[in-house]
Amino acid sequence: MSQHGHSNAHQHNAHGTLKSYTVGFVLSLVLTVLSFGCVMSGAVPQHLVVPGIVVFCVVQLLVQLVFFLHMGTAPEQRSNLSIGVFSLLIIAIVVVGSVWVMHNMNAHMMQPVIQSMSSSIG
């Protein structure tokens, strides 16, 4: 009896098929090759390399979340999706806060050096 309940609960989990894993793998490879090609080919203008890599990075993250971690909008997966969105929010706060603190520290620590250099020159 317990095995029957376990198999029903197991059937409700969203598992991928060989086709979905293959599609995800191929898309991940293509996005990786495109990112590598942006940098190594020299065909992409220099000011578009970093934004291009960021776009490919975000698309690859979404591909991996959908095809490998099976995140979606189905009712069974909403808790996983909300946990993922919350995690991304926390990571964004930590990254943006760290960049902000480092920028302000750099800006404020360089001022005395510039002021002392200008006063010693004049």
Short mmCIF file of all heavy atoms in Angstrom, two decimals, residues 29-70:
data_model
loop_
_atom_site.label_atom_id
_atom_site.label_comp_id
_atom_site.label_asym_id
_atom_site.label_seq_id
_atom_site.Cartn_x
_atom_site.Cartn_y
_atom_site.Cartn_z
N LEU A 29 24.97 24.35 -25.49
CA LEU A 29 26.20 24.33 -26.29
C LEU A 29 26.23 25.48 -27.30
O LEU A 29 27.25 26.14 -27.46
CB LEU A 29 26.34 23.00 -27.03
CG LEU A 29 26.84 21.82 -26.23
CD1 LEU A 29 26.87 20.57 -27.10
CD2 LEU A 29 28.21 22.10 -25.66
N VAL A 30 25.10 25.71 -27.98
CA VAL A 30 25.04 26.78 -28.97
C VAL A 30 25.28 28.13 -28.30
O VAL A 30 26.05 28.97 -28.82
CB VAL A 30 23.69 26.76 -29.71
CG1 VAL A 30 23.46 28.02 -30.51
CG2 VAL A 30 23.60 25.54 -30.61
N LEU A 31 24.66 28.37 -27.15
CA LEU A 31 24.85 29.65 -26.47
C LEU A 31 26.28 29.81 -25.97
O LEU A 31 26.83 30.92 -26.00
CB LEU A 31 23.86 29.76 -25.31
CG LEU A 31 22.40 29.94 -25.76
CD1 LEU A 31 21.45 29.71 -24.60
CD2 LEU A 31 22.20 31.32 -26.36
N THR A 32 26.90 28.72 -25.54
CA THR A 32 28.29 28.79 -25.10
C THR A 32 29.22 29.11 -26.28
O THR A 32 30.12 29.95 -26.18
CB THR A 32 28.71 27.46 -24.45
OG1 THR A 32 27.87 27.22 -23.32
CG2 THR A 32 30.15 27.50 -24.00
N VAL A 33 28.99 28.46 -27.41
CA VAL A 33 29.80 28.71 -28.61
C VAL A 33 29.59 30.15 -29.10
O VAL A 33 30.55 30.81 -29.51
CB VAL A 33 29.47 27.68 -29.71
CG1 VAL A 33 30.08 28.06 -31.04
CG2 VAL A 33 29.96 26.30 -29.29
N LEU A 34 28.37 30.65 -29.05
CA LEU A 34 28.12 32.03 -29.46
C LEU A 34 28.84 33.02 -28.54
O LEU A 34 29.41 34.01 -29.02
CB LEU A 34 26.62 32.32 -29.47
CG LEU A 34 25.83 31.70 -30.61
CD1 LEU A 34 24.33 31.93 -30.42
CD2 LEU A 34 26.28 32.27 -31.94
N SER A 35 28.84 32.77 -27.24
CA SER A 35 29.56 33.64 -26.30
C SER A 35 31.05 33.62 -26.60
O SER A 35 31.72 34.66 -26.63
CB SER A 35 29.32 33.20 -24.86
OG SER A 35 27.97 33.33 -24.52
N PHE A 36 31.58 32.43 -26.79
CA PHE A 36 33.00 32.28 -27.10
C PHE A 36 33.32 32.96 -28.42
O PHE A 36 34.34 33.64 -28.56
CB PHE A 36 33.36 30.79 -27.14
CG PHE A 36 34.82 30.53 -27.31
CD1 PHE A 36 35.69 30.71 -26.25
CD2 PHE A 36 35.32 30.11 -28.53
CE1 PHE A 36 37.04 30.47 -26.40
CE2 PHE A 36 36.67 29.86 -28.69
CZ PHE A 36 37.54 30.04 -27.61
N GLY A 37 32.44 32.80 -29.41
CA GLY A 37 32.64 33.42 -30.72
C GLY A 37 32.63 34.93 -30.67
O GLY A 37 33.34 35.60 -31.42
N CYS A 38 31.79 35.51 -29.79
CA CYS A 38 31.76 36.98 -29.63
C CYS A 38 33.13 37.51 -29.26
O CYS A 38 33.57 38.54 -29.75
CB CYS A 38 30.77 37.37 -28.54
SG CYS A 38 29.10 37.56 -29.08
N VAL A 39 33.80 36.79 -28.37
CA VAL A 39 35.09 37.27 -27.88
C VAL A 39 36.21 36.94 -28.86
O VAL A 39 37.05 37.80 -29.17
CB VAL A 39 35.39 36.64 -26.50
CG1 VAL A 39 36.78 37.01 -26.02
CG2 VAL A 39 34.35 37.07 -25.49
N MET A 40 36.25 35.73 -29.36
CA MET A 40 37.41 35.28 -30.11
C MET A 40 37.40 35.68 -31.59
O MET A 40 38.46 35.77 -32.19
CB MET A 40 37.54 33.76 -30.01
CG MET A 40 37.77 33.28 -28.59
SD MET A 40 39.18 34.03 -27.77
CE MET A 40 40.51 33.29 -28.68
N SER A 41 36.24 35.90 -32.17
CA SER A 41 36.21 36.17 -33.61
C SER A 41 36.67 37.58 -33.96
O SER A 41 37.24 37.80 -35.02
CB SER A 41 34.81 35.94 -34.16
OG SER A 41 33.93 36.96 -33.70
N GLY A 42 36.39 38.53 -33.11
CA GLY A 42 36.72 39.91 -33.42
C GLY A 42 35.72 40.55 -34.36
O GLY A 42 35.86 41.71 -34.73
N ALA A 43 34.71 39.81 -34.79
CA ALA A 43 33.70 40.34 -35.71
C ALA A 43 32.69 41.25 -35.00
O ALA A 43 32.07 42.09 -35.62
CB ALA A 43 32.96 39.19 -36.40
N VAL A 44 32.55 41.05 -33.70
CA VAL A 44 31.61 41.86 -32.92
C VAL A 44 32.34 43.12 -32.46
O VAL A 44 33.47 43.05 -31.95
CB VAL A 44 31.10 41.06 -31.70
CG1 VAL A 44 30.14 41.88 -30.87
CG2 VAL A 44 30.43 39.77 -32.17
N PRO A 45 31.73 44.31 -32.64
CA PRO A 45 32.37 45.55 -32.18
C PRO A 45 32.68 45.47 -30.67
O PRO A 45 31.93 44.88 -29.90
CB PRO A 45 31.33 46.63 -32.46
CG PRO A 45 30.46 46.05 -33.52
CD PRO A 45 30.46 44.58 -33.30
N GLN A 46 33.77 46.08 -30.29
CA GLN A 46 34.27 45.99 -28.91
C GLN A 46 33.24 46.43 -27.88
O GLN A 46 33.13 45.83 -26.82
CB GLN A 46 35.55 46.83 -28.78
CG GLN A 46 36.29 46.61 -27.49
CD GLN A 46 36.88 45.22 -27.38
OE1 GLN A 46 37.17 44.58 -28.37
NE2 GLN A 46 37.05 44.75 -26.16
N HIS A 47 32.47 47.46 -28.18
CA HIS A 47 31.50 47.97 -27.20
C HIS A 47 30.27 47.07 -27.08
O HIS A 47 29.47 47.27 -26.16
CB HIS A 47 31.09 49.41 -27.54
CG HIS A 47 30.32 49.53 -28.82
ND1 HIS A 47 30.94 49.54 -30.06
CD2 HIS A 47 29.00 49.66 -29.04
CE1 HIS A 47 30.00 49.65 -31.00
NE2 HIS A 47 28.82 49.72 -30.41
N LEU A 48 30.11 46.08 -27.95
CA LEU A 48 28.97 45.17 -27.87
C LEU A 48 29.32 43.79 -27.32
O LEU A 48 28.44 42.95 -27.15
CB LEU A 48 28.34 45.00 -29.25
CG LEU A 48 27.68 46.24 -29.85
CD1 LEU A 48 27.15 45.94 -31.25
CD2 LEU A 48 26.56 46.73 -28.95
N VAL A 49 30.61 43.55 -27.03
CA VAL A 49 31.02 42.22 -26.58
C VAL A 49 30.43 41.91 -25.20
O VAL A 49 29.80 40.86 -25.01
CB VAL A 49 32.56 42.10 -26.56
CG1 VAL A 49 33.00 40.83 -25.86
CG2 VAL A 49 33.10 42.13 -27.97
N VAL A 50 30.61 42.79 -24.24
CA VAL A 50 30.12 42.52 -22.88
C VAL A 50 28.59 42.44 -22.84
O VAL A 50 28.06 41.49 -22.26
CB VAL A 50 30.67 43.56 -21.88
CG1 VAL A 50 30.03 43.38 -20.51
CG2 VAL A 50 32.18 43.43 -21.77
N PRO A 51 27.86 43.39 -23.45
CA PRO A 51 26.40 43.22 -23.46
C PRO A 51 25.95 41.93 -24.16
O PRO A 51 24.99 41.28 -23.72
CB PRO A 51 25.88 44.44 -24.21
CG PRO A 51 26.94 45.46 -24.06
CD PRO A 51 28.23 44.69 -24.01
N GLY A 52 26.65 41.53 -25.22
CA GLY A 52 26.31 40.29 -25.91
C GLY A 52 26.51 39.08 -25.03
O GLY A 52 25.67 38.17 -24.99
N ILE A 53 27.62 39.06 -24.29
CA ILE A 53 27.89 37.94 -23.39
C ILE A 53 26.85 37.90 -22.28
O ILE A 53 26.39 36.83 -21.88
CB ILE A 53 29.33 38.02 -22.84
CG1 ILE A 53 30.32 37.75 -23.96
CG2 ILE A 53 29.53 37.05 -21.69
CD1 ILE A 53 31.75 37.96 -23.56
N VAL A 54 26.47 39.06 -21.76
CA VAL A 54 25.46 39.10 -20.70
C VAL A 54 24.12 38.56 -21.21
O VAL A 54 23.45 37.79 -20.52
CB VAL A 54 25.31 40.54 -20.15
CG1 VAL A 54 24.09 40.67 -19.26
CG2 VAL A 54 26.57 40.95 -19.41
N VAL A 55 23.75 38.93 -22.44
CA VAL A 55 22.49 38.43 -23.01
C VAL A 55 22.55 36.91 -23.17
O VAL A 55 21.62 36.20 -22.78
CB VAL A 55 22.19 39.12 -24.36
CG1 VAL A 55 21.08 38.40 -25.11
CG2 VAL A 55 21.84 40.57 -24.14
N PHE A 56 23.65 36.39 -23.73
CA PHE A 56 23.80 34.95 -23.88
C PHE A 56 23.80 34.25 -22.51
O PHE A 56 23.26 33.15 -22.37
CB PHE A 56 25.06 34.59 -24.66
CG PHE A 56 25.00 34.96 -26.11
CD1 PHE A 56 26.09 35.53 -26.74
CD2 PHE A 56 23.86 34.73 -26.85
CE1 PHE A 56 26.04 35.87 -28.09
CE2 PHE A 56 23.80 35.06 -28.19
CZ PHE A 56 24.88 35.63 -28.81
N CYS A 57 24.38 34.88 -21.50
CA CYS A 57 24.44 34.31 -20.16
C CYS A 57 23.03 34.19 -19.57
O CYS A 57 22.66 33.15 -19.02
CB CYS A 57 25.31 35.20 -19.27
SG CYS A 57 25.32 34.74 -17.55
N VAL A 58 22.23 35.24 -19.70
CA VAL A 58 20.87 35.22 -19.16
C VAL A 58 20.02 34.20 -19.90
O VAL A 58 19.26 33.44 -19.27
CB VAL A 58 20.25 36.63 -19.22
CG1 VAL A 58 18.77 36.61 -18.90
CG2 VAL A 58 20.98 37.57 -18.27
N VAL A 59 20.15 34.14 -21.22
CA VAL A 59 19.37 33.16 -21.99
C VAL A 59 19.79 31.74 -21.60
O VAL A 59 18.93 30.86 -21.43
CB VAL A 59 19.54 33.39 -23.51
CG1 VAL A 59 18.91 32.28 -24.31
CG2 VAL A 59 18.94 34.73 -23.90
N GLN A 60 21.09 31.51 -21.42
CA GLN A 60 21.53 30.18 -21.03
C GLN A 60 21.04 29.83 -19.62
O GLN A 60 20.66 28.68 -19.36
CB GLN A 60 23.05 30.07 -21.09
CG GLN A 60 23.53 28.66 -20.84
CD GLN A 60 24.97 28.44 -21.23
OE1 GLN A 60 25.71 29.39 -21.43
NE2 GLN A 60 25.37 27.21 -21.35
N LEU A 61 21.01 30.78 -18.72
CA LEU A 61 20.46 30.54 -17.39
C LEU A 61 19.00 30.12 -17.48
O LEU A 61 18.58 29.16 -16.83
CB LEU A 61 20.60 31.79 -16.53
CG LEU A 61 19.96 31.73 -15.16
CD1 LEU A 61 20.70 30.76 -14.26
CD2 LEU A 61 19.90 33.10 -14.54
N LEU A 62 18.22 30.81 -18.30
CA LEU A 62 16.82 30.45 -18.47
C LEU A 62 16.65 29.08 -19.10
O LEU A 62 15.78 28.30 -18.69
CB LEU A 62 16.10 31.52 -19.30
CG LEU A 62 15.98 32.90 -18.65
CD1 LEU A 62 15.39 33.91 -19.63
CD2 LEU A 62 15.17 32.82 -17.38
N VAL A 63 17.48 28.76 -20.10
CA VAL A 63 17.43 27.44 -20.73
C VAL A 63 17.70 26.35 -19.69
O VAL A 63 16.99 25.34 -19.62
CB VAL A 63 18.43 27.34 -21.90
CG1 VAL A 63 18.68 25.90 -22.31
CG2 VAL A 63 17.93 28.15 -23.08
N GLN A 64 18.71 26.55 -18.85
CA GLN A 64 19.05 25.53 -17.86
C GLN A 64 17.98 25.42 -16.78
O GLN A 64 17.67 24.32 -16.31
CB GLN A 64 20.42 25.82 -17.27
CG GLN A 64 21.50 25.59 -18.28
CD GLN A 64 22.89 25.82 -17.75
OE1 GLN A 64 23.09 26.07 -16.57
NE2 GLN A 64 23.88 25.72 -18.62
N LEU A 65 17.38 26.54 -16.39
CA LEU A 65 16.30 26.48 -15.40
C LEU A 65 15.09 25.73 -15.94
O LEU A 65 14.46 24.95 -15.23
CB LEU A 65 15.89 27.89 -14.98
CG LEU A 65 16.84 28.64 -14.06
CD1 LEU A 65 16.36 30.07 -13.85
CD2 LEU A 65 16.98 27.92 -12.73
N VAL A 66 14.76 25.93 -17.20
CA VAL A 66 13.57 25.30 -17.78
C VAL A 66 13.83 23.84 -18.13
O VAL A 66 13.07 22.95 -17.76
CB VAL A 66 13.09 26.09 -19.01
CG1 VAL A 66 12.01 25.34 -19.75
CG2 VAL A 66 12.57 27.46 -18.58
N PHE A 67 14.93 23.57 -18.84
CA PHE A 67 15.15 22.22 -19.36
C PHE A 67 15.77 21.25 -18.35
O PHE A 67 15.51 20.05 -18.42
CB PHE A 67 16.02 22.26 -20.62
CG PHE A 67 15.29 22.77 -21.83
CD1 PHE A 67 15.43 24.08 -22.24
CD2 PHE A 67 14.43 21.94 -22.54
CE1 PHE A 67 14.75 24.55 -23.34
CE2 PHE A 67 13.75 22.40 -23.64
CZ PHE A 67 13.90 23.71 -24.04
N PHE A 68 16.61 21.75 -17.44
CA PHE A 68 17.28 20.84 -16.52
C PHE A 68 16.69 20.87 -15.11
O PHE A 68 16.60 19.85 -14.45
CB PHE A 68 18.78 21.13 -16.47
CG PHE A 68 19.45 20.97 -17.80
CD1 PHE A 68 20.21 22.00 -18.34
CD2 PHE A 68 19.32 19.81 -18.51
CE1 PHE A 68 20.83 21.86 -19.57
CE2 PHE A 68 19.94 19.64 -19.75
CZ PHE A 68 20.68 20.68 -20.28
N LEU A 69 16.30 22.04 -14.63
CA LEU A 69 15.70 22.13 -13.29
C LEU A 69 14.18 22.11 -13.34
O LEU A 69 13.53 22.13 -12.30
CB LEU A 69 16.20 23.40 -12.58
CG LEU A 69 17.69 23.42 -12.31
CD1 LEU A 69 18.09 24.73 -11.66
CD2 LEU A 69 18.09 22.25 -11.43
N HIS A 70 13.62 22.08 -14.53
CA HIS A 70 12.18 21.95 -14.76
C HIS A 70 11.37 23.02 -14.03
O HIS A 70 10.33 22.73 -13.46
CB HIS A 70 11.69 20.55 -14.35
CG HIS A 70 12.52 19.46 -14.92
ND1 HIS A 70 12.61 19.22 -16.27
CD2 HIS A 70 13.33 18.55 -14.33
CE1 HIS A 70 13.42 18.21 -16.48
NE2 HIS A 70 13.88 17.78 -15.32
#
